[in-house]
Amino acid sequence: MRAWKGMRDSGRAAAAGMFLWMGVFCLAQRQASVTVYTDRPTHAISPMMYGLFFEDINFGADGGLYEEKVKNRSFEFPDAMMGWTVIRREGAQGEAAVVSKQPYKESDARALRITVDESGKGFGVSNEGFRGIGLHQGREYYFTVFARVPSGASMPLRIEAVSPSDLKVLEGSLEVKGADWAFYQITMKAAVTEPKARLNVLAMSKGTVELDMISLFPVDTARQADRPIPGLRKDLVQLLAEVRPAFLRFPGGCIVEGSTLALRYQWKNTIGDLRDRQTLINRWNTEFRHRLTPDYYQSFGLGFFEYFLLSEQIGAEPVPILNCGMACQFNSGEVCALDKLGPYVQDALDLIEFANGPADSPWGRVRVQMGHPEPFGLKYLGIGNEQWGPQYIERYKVFEKAIRANYPDIKLIAGCGSEPEIFPNGPAEVAYLWSQWRILKPDIVDEHFYRRYPRFFELLDHYDSYDRQGPKIFVGEYAAMSHGVASPENRNNLICALAEAAFLTGLERNGDVVVMTAYAPLTAHVEGWQWKPNLIWFDNLTCFGTPNYYVQKLFSQHKGAGYLRSEVKVEGSERLYVSVTEEADGKVYLKAVNPSEQSILAEIRLEGGKAFSPKARVVVLRGGAEDENTLDRPDQVVPKESEYDGVGSRFVYEFAPFSLTVLTLKP
Ligand code: AHR
């Protein structure tokens, strides 16, 4: 970037400068003009414009945001010992087996029974965690367990986390006493940092002990101070919060639907006591043959109550999406008969009561008992995810009638399938859905875009033709693919991020129709992923934002309140994608995307007579087209901030190759 101090403020200087500029600058640059009409906002930018979409995919919840270190802690996976192995230390003999828990409860059916015949140096079990257990030196961890000794006697337990080379990372002990189930907790401090530890639980004397809900959890999590629940992974929550998201959509996309109706997401099974949250297979377990993840289940430790808390914690409106009586149409497509839809609709009504109802309402009481007396202030509810066909419309109507009758203020979000290209019978299905939405008028229609990145540059005008009087639009999932939809080759590189940024300039220009947007999916474990690309990557110890993440962050932090008309002209065939918005206090954000390998030297003309400080804040995200961030190099492509001293009614600014630039002009 160059400072063009001499050219600011005076029209005469600017004109002379332009003249010089046209002649002097070399061919490696393109020249452009950007005219901004500062006195003519065309429409408001929705305060809900930028939010987050969370789904338990790629170890997003279990193994990710939900910081439980133990996989299959309650032995409820169909393969009851998945994640566990039996260990016998010198001289030890015994047996470890999963048994029916007494007293029996369907949601908490099993426990581990360890019978020690010879204690030797310890007999027990070892858990492998989620691709290992990540522990940080000096951090404290709670080990907790429900346990009993059926004979009524006692059993000493030794607890340890060990590295792959058997180095002790955590060590502790406790004594289980008596025949009744009781809760035990100890705190241990990690001696070293270890990404791939295992947790060992060893019985140290002869006898029998039963264990359930074996858990290892950091003491210091993103827990809200006054909340009784264990919190979420701090570094991930921090990245989410820094986007300053206006909303959090949860619990996802296809996971809402389930591959069959029996496997759909049912929010009522995800609240209350952790032991009563019945484990369910994660639909991404078997979705992709090339990325089978047989150990992927949902413990629901991160359930609906926690999603509401997380929304509150990061300052986002909660936007839950519910199953509409249809399983994923890319899978079984199973449909609930209309006359059996009652419980599904009741789930929606009860969810609104759970979120907003008073303490003396049945579901409001549950929220209060869980530790949140104040209502969550739910305003939005999605009915169905990527559904299509007349069966969806029939079911939506039933939900709509019941919800509007009971809760007329709740804004309803209806789906619009997925993009035509990957829809069976694509464009016709979308056209059909829209013909219905125009009549039924849901408040918001949710459209998804997963395309190869060049397509995003062409989608800028996509919403120009949408009916301004019709439903508003939620671009509820989108991501630019470097290779193909959900291809394992996809990269989170800068050119894809810039394609998304260009797309967003088109969405802001259509901000009178498009009121919400979210990139998808949000998070992925570097060893536990099924889908690429993703906004944030993590391993067991750290995480990083992709260039796509920084695009989200920059747009969200510079969304503004009103859209200002602008005109862009670039010489040759290159394009500069520009969106200009203003805050209520008069600050103007000029966001410009240059996705070409040449810099663009633009004369910026501020029309409308408003005066701005000569000093502008500049934030630039730039690099090589293929550049990515990685665990080793998390900051290869990150925004850099500087100051530009040269703003005037006419000034020249050089937009770097492969860049997103945000200029903040201060009145
Ligand atoms: O984001 C991944 C998946 O893509 C979502 O679950 C689904 O809604 C879409 O098909």
Side-chain angles (χ1 to χ4, degrees):
M1 182 187 69
R2 292 167 201 161
W4 292 83
K5 287 192 178 161
M7 297 177 67
R8 73 180 147 89
D9 265 325
S10 123
R12 189 169 50 82
M18 271 302 274
F19 188 68
L20 263 179
W21 163 60
M22 300 297 263
V24 170
F25 288 97
C26 57
L27 297 172
Q29 282 172 331
R30 295 284 171 191
Q31 292 166 5
S33 65
V34 178
T35 307
V36 180
Y37 298 91
T38 61
D39 57 341
R40 274 190 252 166
T42 54
H43 54 263
I45 296 289
S46 157
M48 290 282 281
M49 191 68 170
Y50 297 106
L52 298 173
F53 160 95
F54 183 86
E55 174 159 22
D56 188 6
I57 183 173
N58 306 315
F59 280 7
D62 290 284
L65 194 55
Y66 181 57
E67 210 170 356
E68 173 63 85
K69 304 289 185 189
V70 178
K71 185 169 66 189
N72 192 15
R73 63 186 173 191
S74 55
F75 307 95
E76 304 290 334
F77 286 16
D79 172 355
M81 283 295 279
M82 189 177 257
W84 295 94
T85 47
V86 175
I87 44 174
R88 292 175 185 82
R89 291 270 163 83
E90 209 181 308
Q93 279 179 35
E95 192 186 29
V98 175
V99 295
S100 263
K101 196 169 170 187
Q102 301 304 328
Y104 179 83
K105 237 196 203 174
E106 204 188 331
S107 57
D108 182 21
R110 300 176 186 161
L112 178 74
R113 179 179 296 159
I114 296 177
T115 305
V116 183
D117 301 322
E118 291 298 336
S119 58
K121 293 204 168 153
F123 179 90
V125 287
S126 176
N127 190 273
E128 66 190 20
F130 297 88
R131 309 293 181 268
I133 292 175
L135 301 167
H136 291 267
Q137 184 177 28
R139 270 183 86 176
E140 289 189 312
Y141 296 85
Y142 291 127
F143 171 85
T144 58
V145 66
F146 286 85
R148 69 177 193 129
V149 175
S151 68
S154 67
M155 170 67 83
L157 293 183
R158 178 171 171 72
I159 315 301
E160 55 189 36
V162 295
S163 73
S165 57
D166 226 17
L167 193 75
K168 302 275 179 300
V169 186
L170 299 173
E171 291 183 87
S173 59
L174 62 92
E175 180 104 1
V176 180
K177 288 183 186 150
D180 293 332
W181 285 103
F183 178 73
Y184 297 85
Q185 172 172 312
I186 59 169
T187 308
M188 300 175 285
K189 191 185 266 190
V192 291
T193 294
E194 171 55 55
K196 295 263 180 199
R198 297 181 67 91
L199 176 75
N200 298 336
V201 181
L202 294 156
M204 302 304 290
S205 72
K206 272 190 186 180
T208 295
V209 64
E210 289 183 358
L211 308 172
D212 193 17
M213 289 294 281
I214 301 176
S215 169
L216 185 67
F217 223 100
V219 171
D220 185 23
T221 62
R223 168 202 305 258
Q224 292 190 59
D226 54 342
R227 300 294 171 213
I229 55 150
L232 306 177
R233 196 172 137 168
K234 256 188 151 175
D235 56 345
L236 287 171
V237 171
Q238 174 77 17
L239 278 186
L240 303 187
E242 284 175 9
V243 172
R244 286 197 228 140
F247 64 86
L248 179 71
R249 172 182 159 188
F250 57 84
C254 294
I255 210 158
V256 170
E257 305 163 23
S259 48
T260 64
L261 283 176
L263 300 180
R264 71 189 188 278
Y265 196 101
Q266 297 187 61
W267 73 269
K268 287 176 182 165
N269 296 345
T270 75
I271 60 162
D273 190 314
L274 287 179
R275 285 170 296 172
D276 292 332
R277 304 185 188 184
Q278 199 162 5
T279 303
L280 185 69
I281 188 169
N282 186 305
R283 58 146 302 126
W284 299 104
N285 181 314
T286 51
E287 187 70 15
F288 296 125
R289 280 205 193 127
H290 59 273
R291 288 296 294 180
L292 289 176
T293 317
D295 57 342
Y296 202 1
Y297 286 80
Q298 300 172 84
S299 71
F300 297 117
L302 174 53
F304 257 46
F305 182 69
E306 291 78 19
Y307 281 122
F308 278 111
L309 285 187
L310 174 63
S311 308
E312 194 172 78
Q313 193 171 354
I314 62 177
E317 292 283 350
V319 180
I321 308 289
L322 295 182
N323 186 295
C324 65
M326 298 174 81
C328 181
Q329 288 166 278
F330 293 111
N331 299 143
S332 71
E334 191 186 356
V335 175
C336 172
L338 279 176
D339 62 359
K340 301 258 174 354
L341 205 55
Y344 291 74
V345 177
Q346 195 58 48
D347 275 358
L349 298 174
D350 292 343
L351 177 65
I352 300 169
E353 186 176 285
F354 174 71
N356 295 351
D360 59 359
S361 63
W363 285 100
R365 186 176 314 122
V366 177
R367 183 196 71 241
V368 175
Q369 281 162 356
M370 288 188 76
H372 201 282
E374 322 79 31
F376 282 118
L378 178 70
K379 301 188 187 83
Y380 300 84
L381 187 61
I383 305 301
N385 175 45
E386 285 178 348
Q387 261 63 63
W388 62 82
Q391 291 169 320
Y392 179 33
I393 299 297
E394 285 167 351
R395 279 152 193 79
Y396 174 83
K397 283 181 184 167
V398 181
F399 278 85
E400 186 207 33
K401 191 169 169 207
I403 296 169
R404 297 254 193 255
N406 290 281
Y407 299 103
D409 294 337
I410 292 288
K411 290 199 187 312
L412 291 182
I413 302 175
C416 199
S418 188
E419 67 270 40
E421 280 81 349
I422 64 166
F423 228 7
N425 194 20
E429 296 286 9
V430 173
Y432 167 73
L433 283 177
W434 267 110
S435 72
Q436 299 302 304
W437 296 146
R438 273 190 281 276
I439 299 163
L440 293 170
K441 295 192 178 22
D443 299 286
I444 299 172
V445 173
D446 174 16
E447 299 201 311
H448 298 173
F449 299 87
Y450 293 105
R451 308 278 176 100
R452 284 209 63 235
Y453 75 91
R455 180 77 180 122
F456 277 84
F457 295 107
E458 298 163 9
L459 280 169
L460 273 119
D461 304 336
H462 184 78
Y463 287 106
D464 291 12
S465 57
Y466 274 54
D467 179 4
R468 273 34 209 172
Q469 312 312 319
K472 300 293 182 200
I473 297 293
F474 176 16
V475 179
E477 296 180 31
Y478 70 92
M481 309 280 151
S482 61
H483 285 69
V485 177
S487 161
E489 303 303 317
N490 282 334
R491 322 291 314 173
N492 277 105
N493 59 24
L494 181 60
I495 193 66
C496 288
L498 294 178
E500 289 150 9
F503 178 55
L504 291 177
T505 64
L507 299 189
E508 287 190 349
R509 190 167 50 74
N510 280 286
D512 53 334
V513 173
V514 180
V515 293
M516 295 166 75
T517 65
Y519 181 100
L522 185 58
T523 56
H525 189 294
V526 289
E527 292 177 60
W529 60 271
Q530 296 78 45
W531 177 293
K532 281 183 176 181
N534 301 287
L535 206 60
I536 293 169
W537 286 87
F538 60 89
D539 67 1
N540 291 339
L541 293 176
T542 57
C543 62
F544 67 90
T546 58
N548 317 68
Y549 168 83
Y550 290 109
V551 164
Q552 293 296 311
K553 191 168 160 178
L554 288 177
F555 271 78
S556 177
Q557 294 184 353
H558 301 92
K559 62 176 177 290
Y563 186 82
L564 295 174
R565 191 163 77 81
S566 61
E567 283 162 11
V568 181
K569 290 191 185 123
V570 185
E571 77 170 325
S573 57
E574 303 300 350
R575 283 193 65 180
L576 183 69
Y577 302 88
V578 171
S579 174
V580 190
T581 57
E582 70 171 352
E583 291 286 16
D585 64 6
K587 227 183 279 140
V588 167
Y589 303 126
L590 189 155
K591 302 191 273 289
V593 184
N594 176 9
S596 75
E597 60 189 355
Q598 294 177 323
S599 65
I600 295 181
L601 193 64
E603 188 198 33
I604 299 175
R605 304 166 185 167
L606 301 178
E607 302 293 352
K610 285 196 184 162
F612 293 91
S613 158
K615 290 185 180 163
R617 178 173 171 265
V618 183
V619 188
V620 182
L621 183 71
R622 62 175 295 192
E626 306 282 326
D627 285 356
E628 297 173 54
N629 292 333
T630 60
L631 282 173
D632 295 335
R633 295 193 62 191
D635 49 8
Q636 200 180 351
V637 191
V638 294
K640 301 258 162 56
E641 194 177 326
S642 61
E643 190 179 72
Y644 175 80
D645 189 358
V647 173
S649 59
R650 299 275 190 281
F651 64 102
V652 174
Y653 188 87
E654 183 181 1
F655 293 101
F658 300 121
S659 67
L660 161 64
T661 303
V662 185
L663 290 175
T664 302
L665 311 178
K666 299 165 205 159

